[in-house]
């Protein structure tokens, strides 16, 4: 998917919501556990109920790998379902991968070709030759970890390298990489006050923003400092939406929660 | 596996060799491609031919994920085969994972419980709460990326944070984390000259050292600066061993290459 197609979808739906499909069998409605593939059944119901309210889905691969082959199959079925039934949706494999060159190419093939995701999250620690293999794929997007939403972000990301915070160094350096127009960045909503500085370095890039809701980040704050003329934000919510109810009405309950966020987003876009 | 069991194995076999099982279907002997599970058949033959010469096997998950469900199944069969037939072997999932707390726990379960690996490689960028969930598993080992063997290591890892290189900051900070005795570190053989400084910070920790052979690192150099009283090194070779021949004698050819390294290691241990 091109960036323009994503922007068009955002404008059409008046939403820049991404829904995190982090499926934990201990948290989904018990009546699904008797089905052949509870993870996929859960995702399918959530997707059918919310696809008009969001522009992206973001399964975190950890939740699928934890269930071995069954989990991987559920991930395959979920992305196939999305690509077949809702091809306008932007899909994000939240995998946080990154390895030496030829190995990163294998990861890129796994997520961009085999699973046919539109984007994948990648960790920057191993530098240029660990990220460029992902950037080489046309109309695919590499979402680089910059400033994450967790407490551990303060261990290294906000430390100062040669007069500049590590996460800023990551942003600036990544702009020099080949096909850097295919980069987006992860910036946690719990650190909205950093967004002014971030926008100075990457004024136009899309930011994937986790941490609104369950982790305490504020949508208003993020938009105040992060919104661009082309929106430039994907706000992710996972637990706050998908686990709104553990009863048979879970999909409707998820849609209600998604609707609240979509309407807040619509109001913000209208006020721009 | 406890660290002492690993040390005992090293002393018994006079080897601290890890073999990387990075299986690329374009590189394995063509006669295997007709079998039901070429990746597993390749691994099984390599393992049977080399298990007495090495102490660890390290499948890199990228090479399995690139083949989807089939790849994941081959990974499962490989680790099961190792755990059933050669339980003394130290197994490393080279996955370079890392995510926020509850998500890292899912990854830890995937690799330590579901797949039953002894260890997993983890990226440090997200800090303490992304790594501690792995460290919580008793007799399991978390191998943190410190200074990697690729060129991109110079992008961020060797930059200076508050007077100290990023990779040193990672080493020092990680020592303060809960259950840090379960930590080992990745240090590339291509950067052997850094080992003196690294040993000042982590004098006893095991280091997993990729980059000997194909990537140009020297075994002698690494041992000169990295060896400890309890050896403290796992030297990994992947392509140089497993792709020694693409003919029907591939397993014997791999064993010959592994034997050369094992004998170099034996000489080094004897001279200590």
């Amino acid at each position: 998917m091109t960036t323009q197609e994503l922007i068009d979808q955002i404008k059409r739906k008046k939403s820049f919501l991404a829904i995190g499909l982090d499926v934990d069998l201990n948290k989904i409605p018990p009546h699904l556990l008797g089905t052949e593939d509870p993870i996929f059944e859960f995702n399918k119901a959530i997707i059918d109920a919310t696809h008009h309210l969001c522009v992206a889905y973001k399964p975190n691969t950890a939740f699928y790998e934890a269930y071995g082959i069954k989990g991987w199959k559920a991930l395959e079925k979920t992305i196939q379902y999305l690509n077949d039934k809702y091809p306008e949706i932007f899909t994000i494999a939240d995998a946080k991968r990154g390895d030496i060159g030829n190995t990163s190419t294998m990861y890129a093939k796994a997520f961009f070709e085999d699973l046919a995701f539109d984007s994948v999250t990648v960790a920057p620690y191993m530098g240029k030759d660990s990220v460029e293999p992902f950037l080489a794929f046309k109309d695919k997007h590499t979402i680089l970890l910059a400033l994450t939403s967790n407490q551990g972000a303060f261990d290294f990301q906000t430390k100062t390298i040669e007069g500049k915070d590590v996460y800023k160094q990551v942003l600036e350096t990544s702009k020099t990489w080949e096909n850097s127009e295919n980069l987006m960045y992860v910036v946690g909503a719990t650190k909205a006050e950093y967004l002014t500085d971030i926008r100075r370095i990457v004024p136009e890039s899309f930011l994937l923003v986790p941490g609104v809701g369950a982790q305490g980040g504020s949508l208003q704050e993020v938009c105040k400092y992060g919104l661009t003329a082309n929106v430039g934000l994907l706000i992710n919510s996972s637990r706050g939406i998908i686990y709104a109810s553990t009863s048979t009405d879970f999909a409707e309950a998820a849609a209600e929660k998604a609707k609240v966020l979509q309407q807040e987003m619509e109001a913000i876009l209208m006020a721009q």
Side-chain angles (χ1 to χ4, degrees), chain A residues 25 34 238 251 259:
Chain A
L25 289 180
S238 304
K259 180 89 184 160

Side-chain angles (χ1 to χ4, degrees), chain A residues 69-266:
Chain A
I69 300 286
K70 274 188 190 173
W72 203 261
K73 271 190 188 156
L75 180 63
E76 264 196 15
K77 281 165 75 179
T78 301
I79 182 67
Q80 273 169 14
Y81 187 74
L82 280 167
N83 284 338
D84 286 349
K85 195 149 178 208
Y86 306 107
E88 80 281 8
I89 289 283
F90 184 73
T91 52
I92 305 165
D94 193 1
K96 301 187 175 71
R97 298 298 197 264
D99 209 308
I100 60 171
N102 64 328
T103 311
S104 271
T105 301
M106 296 303 266
Y107 278 130
K109 282 186 181 171
F111 291 106
F112 292 153
E113 289 183 351
D114 187 54
L115 292 170
F117 274 94
D118 293 312
S119 67
V120 62
T121 59
V122 170
Y125 191 72
M126 294 178 68
K128 172 174 164 154
D129 56 319
S130 72
V131 182
E132 282 188 343
F134 291 94
L135 297 175
F137 286 71
K138 192 174 148 57
D139 294 338
K140 300 289 185 179
H141 306 265
T142 303
I143 312 180
L144 197 64
L145 301 186
L147 187 60
T148 56
S149 60
N150 63 324
Q151 188 59 27
F154 299 114
D155 283 336
F156 308 116
Q157 298 167 27
T158 58
K159 291 280 197 287
T160 309
I161 284 183
E162 291 158 15
K164 200 168 285 168
D165 288 0
V166 169
Y167 77 93
K168 289 188 192 172
Q169 194 89 35
V170 166
L171 291 169
E172 293 204 347
T173 305
S174 70
K175 286 170 68 177
T176 68
W177 296 340
E178 201 169 349
N179 300 309
S180 63
E181 68 279 8
N182 293 335
L183 279 170
M184 300 180 175
Y185 300 93
V186 172
V187 176
T190 50
K191 299 182 179 66
E193 70 272 24
Y194 292 79
L195 276 164
T196 307
D197 282 354
I198 290 170
R199 276 297 179 215
R200 267 191 213 119
I201 308 172
V202 287
E204 305 290 343
S205 302
F206 261 87
L207 308 179
L208 172 64
V209 184
V212 163
Q215 292 180 57
S218 150
L219 175 63
Q220 301 293 335
E221 284 288 297
V222 170
C223 290
K224 186 172 164 190
Y225 302 111
L227 218 56
T228 70
N230 277 320
V231 186
L233 293 173
L234 290 171
I235 305 284
N236 185 73
S237 176
S238 304
R239 286 168 281 172
I241 291 177
I242 67 173
Y243 299 132
S245 161
T246 53
S247 184
T248 50
D249 69 341
F250 70 98
E252 294 79 5
E256 275 172 38
K257 292 285 183 184
K259 180 89 184 160
V260 171
L261 279 167
Q262 182 274 321
Q263 288 187 328
E264 274 188 66
M265 290 174 181
E266 183 168 344

Side-chain angles (χ1 to χ4, degrees), chain A residues 4-23:
Chain A
Q4 191 56 50
E5 287 170 325
L6 172 61
I7 295 167
D8 291 346
Q9 190 197 170
I10 289 171
K11 293 191 172 164
R12 207 163 53 241
K13 290 182 173 171
K14 299 180 178 63
S15 170
F16 42 100
L17 177 62
I19 296 181
L21 299 173
D22 302 348
V23 186

